[in-house]
Amino acid sequence: MTIRLAIVGLGKIATDQHLPALDANRDFTLVATVDPRLSTDVNATPATFDSLDALIESGLAVDAISLAVPPQRRHGLAARALANGWHVMLEKPPGITLSEVHDLQARARTHGTTIYASWHSRHAPGVEAARDWLADKRITRVAIDWREDVTVFHPGQAWIWQPGGLGVFDPGINALSIVTTILPVPFSLQKARLDVPENCDTPIAAELSFVTADDAPMSAIMDFRHTGEPAWNIHIGTEAGELVLSEGGAVMTIDDETRIAEPKDEYAGVYARFARLIGDAESDVDLSPFQHVADAFLLGDRRRVAAFHE
Amino acid sequence: MTIRLAIVGLGKIATDQHLPALDANRDFTLVATVDPRLSTDVNATPATFDSLDALIESGLAVDAISLAVPPQRRHGLAARALANGWHVMLEKPPGITLSEVHDLQARARTHGTTIYASWHSRHAPGVEAARDWLADKRITRVAIDWREDVTVFHPGQAWIWQPGGLGVFDPGINALSIVTTILPVPFSLQKARLDVPENCDTPIAAELSFVTADDAPMSAIMDFRHTGEPAWNIHIGTEAGELVLSEGGAVMTIDDETRIAEPKDEYAGVYARFARLIGDAESDVDLSPFQHVADAFLLGDRRRVAAFHE
């Protein structure tokens, strides 16, 4: 029997990624979509609802929900769904504070349901191979270069600039979700500069210096003011050569030799993992990428920069 | 046999609190003090060193160190001491990022030594009794009021205003260390306003709104601009009456009846706990107070306020 899923939030990411991935997935049946811009119609296929409350009140049979709403709204909706006995998948980042995600984890345990804090970039084609290759290498240097034009990739997403929206860390956390899974050693932030537009609450750019537990330097540049082709690259120097993940993890080279270059289909991996977690009655809430962002906000030296107007 | 202890950092907190507590403690022998303002003299009693390196090079027999230096310097010194096989006690806050404290925890595990991230306010006279009384109560409301004059309580401590120094959260984390240990439910931040002087990197005041996992509201006001008598109070409403911890936890009342009012001797408790952890070959690193501060920096709405000049 397939898992009856409702998707909550029909914005850009749900339309571009979640719906096509679900369409190709045999583990899930999409039974409902929920968004304030929809009318409630239980007879539509899938059924549509203008709120999670309307879905709950309808009594429609649902096993799991996928939350593709801005992070500021995740906790309230997730808590209600878990209390209803539903499994919950969270888009990244899983919340606006570390504590509220721990709280959701505890609620899932109480209700005996699965919670999955997903990190879609971890399902990019080169990530698993990169982790395998790096597993027995000594890392000497890491450089993250993550720059994209916010007006192209996040059009009209005002929530990014509000408290909890993370600013440039909304894409930057994708790079952090990759390095936290592929590096064989942990790392910590030593210094951070955050550029915050004078009309925004969150940074438009960041420069970070980390150090790994065995003293290799690691840098990250994140910038939303970039124009043209985006840069989504991670360079990892090792004593046995240099590994580069580019195009957000779609391409992996070792010493300039291409080992993997595949079209990205990250959400297929995300939903496959969610189905497996539900099947195994397990949860997966890895907060390490989010913790590094919290560290950047905690330690960051803030510089006020020009106002941002889309 | 007593534990041979070196104290690293002879600033205000070491002089006012650590040294008198160690003087009255039979588990430890103070064998060395370390501070850049000291000259290295291995024949002094206790021996004096101008740096941790000088102590290590001296070959003096040491079992444990207590780090009473600004948080920006804790990680480097702690890592060296742990690598030397020494037990380490950290003053609060245990570091400048969550990740670097996790790193120290992992190093202590590797080296088979004890690490203790201490929270001195948890050893205030009323704290244990408050936890016991609250254990079976339903909390309806929590209000933290934590205001002190920074020029009186932190004279000349420029590190407080630099990245990693936490600003008003340096005292405020004491309140958070108390509520995280006495409340029977966890809580998460919902909203925060941080007032940051235009010439500083860290807040001089904060207003925080939390909610407990069972929906009780919790507020915290922290302010360094306060003058006169400090306010270090926590009001906790329950269905069975109101508990108030005042004077930083020295006084506990229930429905205005004084149950505990004792002089504070927090560092006696801190060192007793460190000795017990060493004896039991255990560590204690509870990051929950620090995590709430990281959440405040992550979610906080920053307001630039007047420059601070001491």
Side-chain angles (χ1 to χ4, degrees), chain B residues 21 37 41 46 56 59 75-76 88 91 123 125-126 128 139 153 157 169 176 235 275 289 301:
Chain B
R37 289 163 296 188
D41 181 356
I56 291 171
H75 180 269
V88 171
E91 247 297 348
H123 298 278
E128 201 175 322
I139 308 298
F153 291 95
Q157 295 180 23
F169 288 95
L176 294 168
H235 294 253
D301 191 357

Side-chain angles (χ1 to χ4, degrees), chain A residues 7-236:
Chain A
I7 186 157
V8 182
L10 279 186
K12 184 168 162 57
I13 193 75
T15 312
D16 293 356
Q17 304 289 345
H18 289 247
L19 292 178
L22 284 166
D23 207 42
N25 186 301
R26 286 157 182 256
D27 294 319
F28 293 95
T29 305
L30 184 69
V31 296
T33 54
V34 180
D35 194 287
R37 289 163 298 189
L38 295 173
S39 306
T40 296
D41 180 357
V42 292
N43 297 315
T45 306
T48 55
F49 298 91
D50 62 6
S51 68
L52 185 65
D53 282 339
L55 169 60
I56 291 171
E57 281 160 25
S58 76
L60 185 78
V62 168
D63 303 306
I65 68 161
S66 176
L67 276 181
V69 297
Q72 290 92 339
R73 297 180 53 220
R74 293 213 218 298
H75 180 270
L77 296 169
R80 290 236 287 299
L82 293 169
N84 231 34
W86 296 346
H87 309 297
V88 171
M89 188 175 101
L90 306 167
E91 248 297 351
K92 46 68 49 173
I96 52 172
T97 64
L98 294 160
S99 304
E100 71 168 21
V101 188
H102 285 303
D103 173 78
L104 290 179
Q105 205 174 3
R107 286 170 196 254
R109 223 175 287 127
T110 303
H111 295 296
T113 58
T114 289
I115 184 163
Y116 176 33
S118 72
W119 300 104
H120 65 77
S121 290
R122 288 185 173 176
H123 299 277
V127 169
E128 201 175 323
R131 183 179 54 224
D132 290 348
W133 190 80
L134 292 169
D136 61 358
K137 306 291 185 300
R138 190 180 149 78
I139 309 297
T140 55
R141 194 184 65 91
V142 181
I144 295 169
D145 181 19
W146 219 258
R147 290 171 293 137
E148 63 186 49
D149 185 339
V150 66
T151 65
V152 172
F153 291 94
H154 307 273
Q157 294 180 23
W159 58 266
I160 282 193
W161 304 110
Q162 293 157 5
L166 302 189
V168 75
F169 288 95
D170 183 70
I173 204 170
N174 295 337
L176 295 169
S177 77
I178 293 176
V179 289
T180 45
T181 198
I182 65 176
L183 293 182
V185 281
F187 52 90
S188 1
L189 188 71
Q190 295 212 297
K191 212 174 148 109
R193 204 197 68 209
L194 309 181
D195 287 356
V196 184
E198 57 191 24
N199 62 338
C200 297
D201 289 302
T202 59
I204 197 164
E207 265 191 56
L208 313 168
S209 306
F210 301 88
V211 66
T212 68
D214 54 5
D215 289 326
M218 173 170 165
S219 65
I221 290 178
M222 302 172 180
D223 205 327
F224 256 160
R225 296 164 303 196
H226 181 73
T227 53
E229 277 295 294
W232 292 316
N233 306 315
I234 302 171
H235 294 253
I236 301 175

